[in-house]
Amino acid sequence: AHSITYAPTSQLSAWTDISTKGKRVKFGLLAGYAANLGFDGPAAGKYFGLGQDVDYLYRFAPRIEWYSGRLMLALETEYTVAAYGEPGDDGLVRNSSEVGNFRCLAAAFYFF
């Protein structure tokens, strides 16, 4: 019989979302960081998963919301960076380089 064992990948992740409490205009910021910390030792064979080649990522997303009665208009920008590299047999990523993405979102909400 062939035996298979499973082990978790360790990671570090910290995220925060702060905002003001204005009645007409609110400002906010989502910010976060996540890092791949690998396995507790080398893998005994092939391993599978999503994002195996991501060393770390971070995101900053400031926003503004404007309220008028039941209507809310919002504008958010987001900058996300992921560091891609070569996964090793210990799950750690080496020789990573950053790739960034900028996004802008405009939204209108009507609450009824």
Side-chain angles (χ1 to χ4, degrees):
H2 191 285
S3 173
I4 297 176
T5 59
Y6 297 91
T9 301
S10 296
Q11 72 160 346
L12 169 72
S13 182
W15 297 85
T16 188
D17 187 14
I18 57 174
S19 64
T20 63
K21 292 187 175 196
K23 290 197 180 272
R24 192 112 163 118
V25 177
K26 293 182 184 180
F27 298 92
L29 174 67
L30 169 74
Y33 176 82
N36 174 7
L37 302 180
F39 307 132
D40 189 22
K46 288 186 178 183
Y47 59 92
F48 303 93
L50 296 174
Q52 295 178 50
D53 58 348
V54 177
D55 188 12
Y56 60 88
L57 65 89
Y58 57 89
R59 174 178 292 170
F60 296 101
R63 68 182 176 276
I64 184 169
E65 301 168 355
W66 176 76
Y67 295 84
S68 178
R70 295 176 176 246
L71 178 67
M72 179 187 73
L73 301 177
L75 181 64
E76 177 182 82
T77 59
E78 175 190 297
Y79 183 62
T80 301
V81 171
Y84 293 95
E86 303 162 10
D89 64 354
D90 57 0
L92 293 174
V93 177
R94 291 167 181 77
N95 303 318
S96 63
S97 60
E98 293 186 348
V99 177
N101 180 58
F102 180 76
R103 168 183 86 89
C104 187
L105 169 74
F109 296 86
Y110 184 78
F111 302 100
F112 55 94

